[in-house]
Amino acid sequence: MKRILFFTLFSTLLTAAAFSGERPEIYLDGNFNGNFIFELESSDNGEKQNQSAIGTDVSCTIMFSKLWGAHVSAGFFFPHENSASPVLESNGSANILQTGSTDKWYAFNTLIGPAISPFKNEKLMISIIPGFVLSYGEKEYENKISSTASKIYIDEINSYTDTSVDIGIGAKTAVNFIFKNDMYVTAGLETAFYFYNWTTQDFDHNVYIFQPYIDHKYSGGKTTTSNSCADLAVKPFIGFGFRF
């Protein structure tokens, strides 16, 4: 994966430099964003997962000329809720996971590609960045089920750690409003289509049976899957930066 990222970045810089005939300008900024991910293909049970999150990115754009450049951005986002559409209920509860139900839940994503500027002057720059996108997420959570029968009290505690890697293609449109001191405000929209996914789940299953004595049963393991997917991510953002 590191080789893919390095090759993508290197080829992007090489392509942009081929069109360079001017002194490069560097745009470095940070932003706050909302991240909304929609599963376009339903899972086996007919549900489509939707996720909402907030995050922050750091971006660097190097313009080798008024038209061409290279761009890389990376950042974290923290999911707020993972829900399903339509919402199917099992055991009397809807399939909705919120941040408060997890011990840890975060994701990292990046976009690498060429920067194309159809309009650029001293006060305004519009840039369009198509490129390669990658996302890595980690989530820890557990659920507890209690039941009673014939003077027997049973607690089931299931703990999960999920890690996920998604790759795809994306595009970013940004508008930079530049001030005299070379500070600028940036706003725009980034979209990504993820088409392949690797998922690993570590799980622990504990059953406590309370009788005149306590019986404890444990099982656990790890499952890894990789498959094609069709997830659409939409990320509006606003931030500020400096031109060098």
Side-chain angles (χ1 to χ4, degrees), residues 52 71 196:
S52 58
H71 176 90
Y196 209 80

Side-chain angles (χ1 to χ4, degrees), residues 39-175:
E39 189 177 58
L40 302 182
E41 293 182 356
S42 62
S43 55
D44 293 337
N45 61 9
E47 292 181 327
K48 294 182 180 179
Q49 297 295 318
N50 304 318
Q51 185 179 108
S52 58
I54 57 173
T56 180
D57 285 353
V58 174
S59 301
C60 180
T61 304
I62 304 176
M63 296 302 297
F64 297 99
S65 70
K66 289 184 177 182
L67 181 62
W68 296 95
H71 176 90
V72 58
S73 63
F76 285 93
F77 64 91
F78 302 91
H80 167 68
E81 181 178 279
N82 202 67
S83 61
S85 176
V87 176
L88 304 180
E89 293 191 0
S90 59
N91 299 322
S93 60
N95 186 14
I96 298 175
L97 181 65
Q98 295 181 324
T99 302
S101 303
T102 64
D103 298 316
K104 179 195 298 183
W105 197 5
Y106 72 93
F108 165 86
N109 60 6
T110 184
L111 167 68
I112 299 173
I116 305 167
S117 179
F119 182 86
K120 182 178 181 295
N121 58 28
E122 285 300 311
K123 295 183 178 181
L124 180 68
M125 182 178 78
I126 299 174
S127 55
I128 301 172
I129 303 107
F132 167 84
V133 291
L134 179 143
S135 176
Y136 169 85
E138 186 170 325
K139 176 171 54 181
E140 293 181 5
Y141 59 101
E142 68 176 27
N143 60 46
K144 181 177 179 180
I145 302 173
S146 300
S147 60
T148 58
S150 302
K151 300 181 181 180
I152 299 175
Y153 183 81
I154 301 174
D155 273 349
E156 295 184 25
I157 302 176
N158 304 302
S159 301
Y160 303 92
T161 299
D162 297 347
T163 57
S164 179
V165 177
D166 298 274
I167 62 171
I169 56 175
K172 179 178 182 179
T173 301
V175 180

